[in-house]
Amino acid sequence: MERRNCAVTFLRVLLVLMAAVETTALHGVKPREKDHRNAYATMMYMGTPRDYEFYVATRVLIKSLVKLRVNADLIVIASLDVPLRWVRALEEEDGAKVVRVENINNPYNGQKNFDKRFKLTLNKLYAWSLVDYDRVVMLDADNLFLQRTDELFQCGQFCAVFINPCIFHTGLFVLQPSLYVFKDMVHSLDTGKENPDGADQGFIGAYFPDLLDQPMFHPPLNGSNLDGQYRLPLGYQMDASYYYLRLRWRVPCGPNSVITFPGALWLKPWYWWSWPVLPLGIQWHETRRQTLGYAAEIPIVMIQTIIFLGIIVMTRLARPSIPKLCYRHSDKTTSLIQIALKLVAIWSILAAYIVPFAIIPRTIHPLVGWTLYFLGSIALSSITINSFLLPAIQVFVPLIGIFGSLLVMACPWYPNGVVRALAVFGYAFCFAPIAWGSAVKVLARLHVSLEREQFFPKMAESSPPPGFNKLC
């Protein structure tokens, strides 16, 4: 009898070891030493213009979970092409366990409605291969945790939130790791299982088609784990869009624990321009300030500040000499030059409002980002103002309008989102005539400036100023 028990024990140990080896060999997954029975997991992959932004978002997510002292391991499923310096930062500075994987080939990239930015989101399926853990909560990087959600580990084999009336959201879901399920999912990809959007959302939704009919999850008071599939209360995935309607949370079902930002990509909360356009952006940045900080962006911000201030000083000192651009040969030549200079001036003003958006670090704090934007716009506009002798106030009117709109959007006393939207619309409606009038005045002043003799002095009346070559 004892020999039989020893044999059974030996076989069990052998099966566990075989499963671990198989997990290691399967698509490059490397088992990590675990500290807890459960895990929060997210993923990282390369190949989009916004890789760095999502890297920052992932680190903020991990650090926010550390700050909440969750009773679970923190896993990052990272593709093999993720830079090693990022991996080391996640492991050594953030306390995450990084699992390196090969990208899962997406067989749906030929669909008409396929969005290329979702090409590698099927890497999320690797969460089912984390068989060292009893339960895994899989997360997207755009989640903002308000409080601990460790009770989710009591949920069943698969649990998710329906932020859409008929389709559950894969930005947060609970799963029980299983190599059988993982292999079956990979096989479904190979056999061309139907996928409405070609991404993880459509595939996982099609793989668990009956979740809508399942009961609502309520964590057992005795701490035991449930079996089966459950719908999670909306409080575990509060869509930020709901907040913008009322400017407060009113989610009666379940705890108000997690905010998700599934909206427009360019208005994700980590971009500095997202606030005050979207009020919750400042809350995400407050979480970053308390956890990751902004040390990576500060040097660039300091350099750009010095450059912008230098431009303002230099253009002001050079103002008497800048307008003396060329000398008149004939009325026809002068007319062509005037048209060209008008176009240059107009495009220079437009560039002064656009260029700062392109060069300011995207993930800097909104207050720093907007301050640097205004400084950059003033600096670049000053080049045009001093070159063409334009009135500064009229040129800066659009900047004043932007500043005013930010104040209107940031006002904290709106009763709901509808009133806020009407206030922004009313402000824009009232400011539009002022902006139009300033544009007309700038064009008129530009025409007068180009007609003045200091722009086109006649050859017979004056000689070129020292240091300037004859251009025309």
Side-chain angles (χ1 to χ4, degrees), residues 49-68:
R50 292 166 290 276
D51 289 338
Y52 176 76
E53 287 89 331
F54 278 92
Y55 160 67
V56 171
T58 299
R59 293 195 65 186
V60 172
L61 173 65
I62 294 296
K63 281 186 171 291
S64 66
L65 291 171
V66 172
K67 183 181 177 182
L68 290 173

Side-chain angles (χ1 to χ4, degrees), residues 39-43 62 73-77 96-99 130 133:
Y40 289 95
T42 186
M43 67 174 178
I62 294 296
D73 283 356
L74 305 176
I75 306 294
V76 177
I77 301 172
K97 300 177 185 295
V98 179
V99 177
L130 301 175
Y133 297 98

Side-chain angles (χ1 to χ4, degrees), residues 37 135 151-156 217-227:
R37 293 172 50 195
R135 295 288 191 274
E151 69 275 9
L152 287 174
F153 296 122
Q154 298 177 247
C155 203
F217 166 69
H218 298 285
L221 298 179
N222 60 3
S224 62
N225 291 345
L226 300 174
D227 291 322

Side-chain angles (χ1 to χ4, degrees), residues 125-145:
L125 303 184
Y126 277 115
W128 274 271
S129 71
L130 301 175
V131 292
D132 287 339
Y133 297 98
D134 295 344
R135 295 288 191 274
V136 172
V137 176
M138 189 65 197
L139 304 166
D140 281 349
D142 60 351
N143 283 303
L144 177 63
F145 277 73

Side-chain angles (χ1 to χ4, degrees), residues 55-202:
Y55 160 67
V56 171
T58 299
R59 293 195 65 186
V60 172
L61 173 65
I62 294 296
K63 281 186 171 291
S64 66
L65 291 171
V66 172
K67 183 181 177 182
L68 290 173
R69 299 181 180 180
V70 295
N71 185 27
D73 283 356
L74 305 176
I75 306 294
V76 177
I77 301 172
S79 59
L80 295 176
D81 52 358
V82 171
L84 289 177
R85 66 182 185 277
W86 292 4
V87 173
R88 285 194 294 268
L90 288 165
E91 291 181 332
E92 299 172 6
E93 300 178 25
D94 303 339
K97 300 177 185 295
V98 179
V99 177
R100 307 300 297 273
V101 298
E102 294 181 0
N103 291 322
I104 294 179
N105 179 53
N106 193 322
Y108 306 105
N109 54 18
Q111 291 185 180
K112 293 183 179 179
N113 63 336
F114 183 75
D115 191 332
K116 292 183 179 179
R117 65 190 176 97
F118 297 133
K119 180 179 179 180
L120 298 177
T121 57
L122 291 176
N123 286 1
K124 191 176 290 186
L125 303 184
Y126 277 115
W128 274 271
S129 71
L130 301 175
V131 292
D132 287 339
Y133 297 98
D134 295 344
R135 295 288 191 274
V136 172
V137 176
M138 189 65 197
L139 304 166
D140 281 349
D142 60 351
N143 283 303
L144 177 63
F145 277 73
L146 304 180
Q147 59 186 14
R148 286 177 57 173
T149 59
D150 289 353
E151 69 275 9
L152 287 174
F153 296 122
Q154 298 177 247
C155 203
Q157 279 67 44
F158 183 79
C159 311
V161 179
F162 281 82
I163 64 174
N164 177 296
C166 301
I167 302 174
F168 64 81
H169 187 52
T170 57
L172 180 151
F173 58 88
V174 186
L175 63 105
Q176 182 179 22
S178 167
L179 285 180
Y180 172 80
V181 174
F182 177 67
K183 290 179 179 179
D184 188 60
M185 287 180 163
V186 173
H187 177 70
S188 298
L189 292 175
D190 295 335
T191 56
K193 184 179 180 65
E194 183 180 357
N195 187 341
D197 60 10
D200 64 290
Q201 176 72 58

